[in-house]
Amino acid sequence: MYGITSEELINHIQQLEAHNNQLKNIINKSVAEECTRNNLSGKKDRKFNFSKCSKRHVMLKLLYLGWEYQGYTTQEDTTNTIEHNLFTALVRCCLVESRQTSNYSRCGRTDKGVSSFCQVVSLDIRSRLTPEQLSGGGNTIEEELDYSKLLNRVLPPDIRVLAWCPAPPDFSARFDCKERTYKYFFPRGNLNIEAMDAAVRYAVGCHDFRNLCKMDVANGVCKYDRRILSAEVKVLAMDPFDNNADTASAYDMCELTLVGQAYLWHQVRCIMGILLLIGQGKEKIEVMKQLLDIESHPMKPQYCLASHVPLNLFHCEFECSDWVISKEVLIGVIRHLQQEWTMYNVKSTMIRSMLLECQGMLSDGGDIQEQSSCLLQGIQAKGYQPLFQRPTCSSLENRIEHFVKKHRLEIACSDDRSN
């Protein structure tokens, strides 16, 4: 705040303090009124007695549309996360006492706006069965609580529990996952899909991906070797407005599919950011191979991440295959997804019809293909600067030295920060 006197600043602070006190009084009043209503209605704040219940270790398979959330993981400054909503539902259903006592583990950490069709968590959860039934084996699944149905009653509609599965007591959703599959959906636009597919093949195998991720040295991640099992870019669906199915349309939908054992922070979005530059013809196919050669290129050139919106943690592979899927729950999920699809597709079709009319109004009949240009975040320069002519980030060695000097990092570093 520029150009104000100290007296005006003091008055402004006093006004803010008064407003803060007013908000506190409103909250306290609402809480007091709620307590009074509960007392008048005879309600008692009785805690659930977990000591009388058995527990079992299970896996839960989650589906969520993450566009309106601040990421999967619980955060200190917001409650708008998938994990916060999950544990709110678990506690409300009296399935766990708290996260701290639930022996909880998650398969992946998706960032803000990222969705998932197959996020898997493992935890100790309340059971309807007796300890003898749980330890005796046999098919007691039908007698167990319907965890998916219970949780979906109280979860937000864009977070669903698809299935659950019994798991050994020492099972970890994070460390026992065999492979993770990410998908990234995007329109063809002016992109060369064949070139993108050829480029992403260089990522298959075990490589040092320090140039294709956001290095997280501050949190102890100093090793960036990861194994990609398969990688592919392909056309997923043809343009429904194109009467000639044999020709490529800028509105065709495509997908990148990456299958790997574990991922680094922003690894998929960095890879997709480079693929978009290759697809636009701004970089050669071999640039992917060059970025993986850390001997020749030890420092990451500065480039933009691909948007988070099209990214989906699509599958997590485990040895366990005995998923308990309720037909009633699955029908409910399908019904909700169909309704979501309807509303988004109606909007998409409406916009596409407007585009057709606008393109028909062009006097020169020019073909504008900007469908995929919005997927690269950041400000786009008027003149393109080749990747290896750009400023570079600090090297991994310099970052490690920096944090060691600040006593924020020990010499022995962790090698895992899976997504």
Side-chain angles (χ1 to χ4, degrees):
M1 299 174 68
Y2 299 98
I4 65 172
T5 65
S6 58
E7 184 178 351
E8 289 173 333
L9 181 59
I10 292 171
N11 289 334
H12 185 66
I13 293 173
Q14 289 174 341
Q15 290 174 4
L16 290 175
E17 288 177 342
H19 183 61
N20 191 35
N21 289 332
Q22 185 182 17
L23 291 175
K24 286 181 179 179
N25 291 334
I26 292 173
I27 293 171
N28 291 336
K29 182 179 178 181
S30 300
V31 172
E33 289 175 349
E34 181 67 24
C35 293
T36 302
R37 283 195 297 268
N38 289 340
N39 291 334
L40 291 175
S41 61
K43 292 182 179 179
K44 295 182 179 180
D45 186 17
R46 293 186 300 175
K47 290 187 177 181
F48 190 87
N49 190 352
F50 282 91
S51 64
K52 295 182 178 180
C53 304
S54 302
K55 289 184 180 181
R56 71 185 308 166
H57 200 61
V58 303
M59 302 160 60
L60 299 178
K61 182 183 290 186
L62 307 177
L63 171 154
Y64 52 85
L65 302 175
W67 304 313
E68 302 300 325
Y69 292 92
Q70 297 297 311
Y72 178 82
T73 310
T74 299
Q75 302 171 33
E76 292 182 358
D77 57 347
T78 181
T79 59
N80 187 31
T81 67
I82 308 297
E83 200 169 59
H84 176 84
N85 281 278
L86 173 61
F87 271 94
T88 298
L90 286 164
V91 172
R92 185 176 174 183
C93 293
C94 298
L95 294 176
V96 300
E97 192 169 5
S98 68
R99 173 176 172 167
Q100 291 71 23
T101 61
S102 64
N103 190 22
Y104 172 72
S105 174
R106 56 179 174 251
C107 181
R109 284 184 290 181
T110 54
D111 292 324
K112 175 183 177 181
V114 178
S115 302
S116 177
F117 178 67
C118 185
Q119 172 71 275
V120 176
V121 302
S122 59
L123 73 169
D124 294 337
I125 201 167
R126 176 169 65 90
S127 173
R128 174 186 286 169
L129 306 179
T130 65
E132 291 75 20
Q133 289 176 302
L134 291 172
S135 60
N139 187 13
T140 57
I141 297 300
E142 294 181 358
E143 303 174 33
E144 187 55 277
L145 293 168
D146 191 340
Y147 297 121
S148 303
K149 185 177 180 180
L150 284 172
L151 290 168
N152 286 344
R153 284 176 178 173
V154 296
L155 281 167
D158 48 6
I159 305 175
R160 300 285 88 180
V161 178
L162 287 174
W164 71 276
C165 178
D170 58 347
F171 179 87
S172 169
R174 177 185 178 188
F175 295 110
D176 290 316
C177 182
K178 302 303 179 185
E179 60 185 47
R180 299 166 173 89
T181 300
Y182 277 91
K183 287 182 179 289
Y184 194 99
F185 303 94
F186 61 98
R188 184 196 294 267
N190 63 348
L191 301 174
N192 184 335
I193 303 301
E194 291 75 17
M196 295 172 71
D197 182 56
V200 81
R201 305 283 177 169
Y202 284 118
V204 176
C206 188
H207 303 282
D208 188 317
F209 284 93
R210 69 180 66 179
N211 291 330
L212 290 165
C213 72
K214 184 174 181 179
M215 287 193 284
D216 197 19
V217 178
N219 286 319
V221 183
C222 300
K223 295 184 179 180
Y224 292 86
D225 298 303
R226 295 293 183 271
R227 182 179 296 278
I228 298 295
L229 302 175
S230 66
E232 181 184 26
V233 177
K234 67 177 183 180
V235 177
L236 180 65
M238 305 301 288
D239 177 17
F241 282 81
D242 190 357
N243 294 325
N244 188 356
D246 296 329
T247 61
S249 167
Y251 293 92
D252 294 342
M253 290 305 298
C254 310
E255 69 173 6
L256 161 70
T257 303
L258 288 176
V259 181
Q261 295 173 330
Y263 296 84
L264 297 159
W265 192 12
H266 290 330
Q267 182 179 351
V268 180
R269 291 172 62 190
C270 282
I271 290 174
M272 188 63 201
I274 297 300
L275 290 177
L276 288 171
L277 295 177
I278 294 170
Q280 293 168 0
K282 296 177 178 178
E283 296 288 346
K284 295 182 179 180
I285 294 174
E286 290 74 24
V287 76
M288 184 69 73
K289 181 180 180 181
Q290 293 171 323
L291 286 169
L292 294 169
D293 182 2
I294 61 170
E295 297 296 329
S296 302
H297 302 282
M299 292 184 289
K300 174 186 175 183
Q302 296 178 4
Y303 58 86
C304 297
L305 285 173
S307 170
H308 54 265
V309 174
L311 184 58
N312 191 300
L313 174 58
F314 203 77
H315 182 68
C316 298
E317 184 68 29
F318 296 90
E319 290 184 355
C320 169
S321 59
D322 300 326
W323 289 101
V324 181
I325 303 174
S326 165
K327 182 179 179 180
E328 180 183 353
V329 167
L330 194 56
I331 290 173
V333 171
I334 292 172
R335 181 183 293 115
H336 174 70
L337 288 178
Q338 286 178 341
Q339 293 168 353
E340 289 286 309
W341 175 88
T342 296
M343 298 310 297
Y344 283 111
N345 206 43
V346 164
K347 293 177 182 179
S348 173
T349 304
M350 184 185 297
I351 293 173
R352 185 66 204 281
S353 298
M354 293 178 179
L355 281 168
L356 289 172
E357 292 297 320
C358 290
Q359 288 170 346
M361 294 165 64
L362 282 175
S363 58
D364 58 357
D367 187 14
I368 302 172
Q369 297 182 345
E370 293 292 330
Q371 292 87 345
S372 58
S373 61
C374 63
L375 295 179
L376 272 178
Q377 295 185 331
I379 300 173
Q380 305 298 317
K382 292 183 179 179
Y384 183 76
Q385 186 176 20
L387 205 60
F388 293 117
Q389 296 179 17
R390 300 182 186 182
T392 58
C393 304
S394 299
S395 68
L396 174 60
E397 292 75 19
N398 287 342
R399 290 177 185 236
I400 292 174
E401 183 181 358
H402 170 78
F403 287 108
V404 168
K405 285 182 178 179
K406 288 188 172 289
H407 303 288
R408 292 179 55 188
L409 188 70
E410 296 180 359
I411 298 299
C413 295
S414 165
D415 65 349
D416 184 31
R417 190 194 187 282
S418 55
N419 235 356

